[in-house]
Amino acid sequence: MTGVREAWKGYKTRIKGKHFERYNNIEDMLKNRPLDIPEVQFQKLIAYWSIPSVKALSRLNSENRKKQQQQHRMGPISFARVRNEMDKLKSHQEAGDTPEKAFTAVFGKEQPGRVRCYGRTITKTSLQKDREIAKIKQQHAETISSMKTELHETKDRVQSLEDLVKLLLQQSSLGTNIDEALSLLRAKESTYDINSKQYSNGNDRPSSSTRDPK
């Protein structure tokens, strides 16, 4: 109903500005009347808008609207009523009620097919869909983050294995004993495991110098 009322007020304003206030005599007004309004009805509108008290009230309302810094969008609900309800809401919260309980106590239970404070076009169904979509997006982001972490760990593992192979070949070419080479390999692997645990706990990734001790 609010939308219909606003549309009707806008329609009357356009008709009055375009077909009444623009002309100085009734003949021109009737000649340029809206085609969707019968002449008899438009004559009645002209007669009503021409009443001195109506013209004075219209002029006063126009001047008052120009002075408004914030447009009133509460319909038939006055600002005084809003202030009174806000005071009640504050009193309930000060008494220990939760915000949800205080809101329900002042404004009543939610009506079917609508959701307060979300605008005219939002319904419980659309709000639930938005929440589900947001949840799916969050899960997707978490999955991507987890996959990136695993990819980094895999790359580090491959790099560590490459370093181990290079070290083994280097030690073999120098004639190092096989037991000594295995000891170096175990030390290398132990260092990698420590760095991997630190990285998985949220610490900075190990630098290349840490991964490849000399």
Side-chain angles (χ1 to χ4, degrees):
M1 291 301 295
T2 303
V4 174
R5 182 175 63 249
E6 294 295 330
W8 173 241
K9 288 175 62 178
Y11 174 74
K12 289 191 298 181
T13 300
R14 291 191 298 271
I15 292 298
K16 186 177 182 181
K18 187 176 180 180
H19 302 279
F20 176 77
E21 295 177 344
R22 183 177 296 183
Y23 304 101
N24 297 322
N25 56 75
I26 297 178
E27 289 76 12
D28 290 338
M29 295 177 188
L30 292 175
K31 182 179 179 180
N32 296 279
R33 67 177 175 82
L35 298 178
D36 56 341
I37 299 179
E39 183 175 345
V40 175
Q41 294 182 6
F42 194 66
Q43 286 178 346
K44 293 181 179 180
L45 274 176
I46 293 174
Y48 173 76
W49 286 333
S50 300
I51 298 174
S53 59
V54 174
K55 295 175 68 175
L57 180 61
S58 176
R59 190 181 306 109
L60 178 62
N61 290 337
S62 178
E63 293 175 356
N64 289 336
R65 281 194 297 271
K66 293 178 181 179
K67 297 177 182 179
Q68 289 181 351
Q69 296 180 352
Q70 296 180 347
Q71 189 174 6
H72 187 275
R73 304 293 295 177
M74 298 297 296
I77 302 176
S78 65
F79 285 142
R81 178 180 170 184
V82 174
R83 284 193 294 268
N84 183 45
E85 291 176 343
M86 294 304 294
D87 290 339
K88 291 181 180 179
L89 185 64
K90 184 178 180 181
S91 299
H92 279 279
Q93 290 179 331
E94 291 176 350
D97 290 347
T98 62
E100 293 79 8
K101 186 176 180 180
F103 189 89
T104 302
V106 175
F107 297 101
K109 294 183 179 180
E110 196 74 74
Q111 298 297 321
R114 57 171 291 190
V115 183
R116 285 195 181 100
C117 305
Y118 282 92
R120 300 176 184 172
T121 60
I122 302 299
T123 63
K124 291 184 178 180
T125 302
S126 64
L127 189 62
Q128 181 64 26
K129 287 182 179 179
D130 292 340
R131 290 173 178 172
E132 292 176 355
I133 292 174
K135 184 178 180 181
I136 292 174
K137 288 182 178 180
Q138 182 180 0
Q139 292 175 348
H140 177 71
E142 292 175 353
T143 301
I144 295 298
S145 178
S146 177
M147 292 176 64
K148 288 182 178 180
T149 301
E150 292 178 0
L151 179 60
H152 286 309
E153 292 178 351
T154 301
K155 288 182 178 180
D156 290 341
R157 186 78 177 182
V158 171
Q159 182 63 44
S160 179
L161 291 175
E162 290 179 355
D163 294 341
L164 291 175
V165 172
K166 291 178 182 179
L167 179 62
L168 179 60
L169 294 175
Q170 181 181 5
Q171 297 299 330
S172 298
S173 63
L174 295 175
T176 304
N177 185 276
I178 187 64
D179 293 333
E180 295 178 357
L182 289 175
S183 297
L184 291 173
L185 290 175
R186 293 191 185 98
K188 181 76 172 179
E189 183 69 18
S190 177
T191 302
Y192 168 77
D193 291 338
I194 294 174
N195 291 333
S196 297
K197 290 179 180 179
Q198 291 177 347
Y199 175 57
S200 62
N201 290 333
N203 298 331
D204 295 337
R205 293 186 61 192
S207 61
S208 58
S209 60
T210 305
R211 293 199 310 265
D212 189 14
K214 301 298 183 181

